[in-house]
Amino acid sequence: MFIGTNVYGWTQIARREGRDYDRRRAMRDAKAAGLTGWEDAFASADQVAAVAADSAEAGLGMRSAYVFGAFHTEEHAAAAAANALAIVEALMPHGVRKFIFNPDPLPEGALKCDAELRIQAKSVEALGRLLRAQGAELLYHTHAPEMQASAREFHHMLAATDPAAVSLCLDVHWVWRGAGNSQVALEDIVRLYGSRVRELHLRQSHGGVWAEAVEDGDIDLARVAGMLEERGARPLLVLEHAYETATPMTRDPVEAHRASRDYVADLFSAIGA
């Protein structure tokens, strides 16, 4: 079963251990934990070759990648789309077909106005169509800011875009947290958009604090898995461990990721891509 890991948690592990982030070490640890995929984040196309070489050396496949960019003005969107397309062109020969976009938020938690949301949705859909024509797909992703004000940014990005052009990378915990730690809100989003979920970012918490492994906790992940199965979703499964000040670290990171891998493989066995 293909289960990947996102780069973010590994950078945080290095920081908590008081050392510089070492990508090759992180990839070796991911492989030792029984993971089969690596998901990195790219700001430019010139970063691709080194990451792809290290991933291949570690024996980790790359099926997805995280790409940045602002899309809420015409000028920003044009520049972001051009940069994204260059990254896509560089990554596709290495097997990457899913490209995750979390449009840049405004500074200090400011809300995007209606005009900016319309431009953003239109621009992201246009980019999604270009990716689809190349045999790739665009997956919309969120953190907590998009859930503000009745989740208007989150919902507009899906309600106002063509499902054939824009899919969803459901970051389960950010949706849960962004909605005020609500399982109900998370389940409603799965009800509305479950058929568009092409990837899951998986993390857990206890008492609202991020856990060191994906396991039983605040979020009923079994319920999420069942609802996605009912809607025919076959998402790519990606662990995204993350660490807050209060997050315990009682296990070696390899051991913690191995435990997450085993838990997720069992819980999502019916739907994993």
Side-chain angles (χ1 to χ4, degrees):
M1 186 175 188
F2 189 95
I3 300 177
T5 181
N6 182 277
V7 62
Y8 179 61
W10 298 99
T11 65
Q12 286 199 308
I13 289 168
R15 190 177 304 117
R16 287 191 63 154
E17 293 181 348
R19 58 179 174 82
D20 292 336
Y21 168 65
D22 181 334
R23 183 174 60 237
R24 290 182 177 179
R25 173 176 173 173
M27 287 179 172
R28 288 195 300 269
D29 286 349
K31 183 67 173 180
L35 297 165
T36 47
W38 182 264
E39 181 179 275
D40 218 301
F42 297 90
S44 63
D46 60 9
Q47 298 173 330
V48 169
V51 175
D54 289 346
S55 180
E57 182 179 347
L60 296 171
M62 293 203 307
R63 295 188 183 180
S64 59
Y66 198 103
V67 185
F68 306 93
F71 289 85
H72 59 280
T73 71
E74 299 285 358
E75 182 179 3
H76 283 115
N83 186 55
L85 287 170
I87 295 169
V88 169
E89 183 178 350
L91 278 168
M92 285 189 68
H94 300 287
V96 180
R97 294 294 181 270
K98 299 180 189 296
F99 293 89
I100 302 160
F101 282 77
N102 193 138
D104 293 352
L106 298 183
E108 300 180 1
L111 294 172
K112 294 168 185 170
C113 68
D114 284 358
E116 289 171 326
L117 291 179
R118 293 183 194 280
I119 291 170
Q120 181 172 285
K122 178 181 176 182
S123 301
V124 169
E125 179 178 279
L127 179 60
R129 292 189 188 282
L130 289 174
L131 263 63
R132 187 180 183 190
Q134 295 183 40
E137 56 185 327
L138 179 69
L139 282 65
Y140 176 59
H141 177 280
T142 63
H143 294 110
E146 297 83 4
M147 301 301 293
Q148 296 182 84
S150 301
R152 73 185 192 193
E153 181 169 348
F154 180 95
H155 287 299
H156 185 68
M157 287 299 296
L158 293 171
T161 56
D162 183 353
V166 181
S167 300
L168 177 61
C169 172
L170 179 62
D171 192 310
V172 176
H173 202 281
W174 274 123
V175 167
W176 181 86
R177 177 175 282 187
N181 298 356
S182 174
Q183 179 80 23
V184 166
L186 172 60
E187 290 179 9
D188 284 345
I189 283 171
V190 176
R191 286 189 186 93
L192 289 169
Y193 310 115
S195 62
R196 293 171 74 167
V197 173
R198 299 285 290 144
E199 180 170 328
L200 293 175
H201 277 180
L202 296 164
R203 185 185 312 122
Q204 185 58 281
S205 62
H206 299 291
V209 177
W210 287 336
E212 63 179 328
V214 182
E215 55 199 4
D216 290 346
D218 293 332
I219 301 174
D220 187 346
L221 291 172
R223 174 70 174 152
V224 172
M227 292 180 69
L228 289 170
E229 183 179 6
E230 290 171 1
R231 285 154 181 79
R234 295 281 294 173
L236 185 67
L237 305 173
V238 176
L239 305 181
E240 192 179 40
H241 285 202
Y243 306 86
E244 304 175 283
T245 301
T247 300
M249 290 192 75
T250 63
R251 286 174 275 186
D252 175 84
V254 172
E255 179 187 347
H257 278 81
R258 184 181 296 115
S260 295
R261 189 262 172 215
D262 292 346
Y263 181 88
V264 167
D266 178 62
L267 197 63
F268 292 90
S269 60
I271 65 170

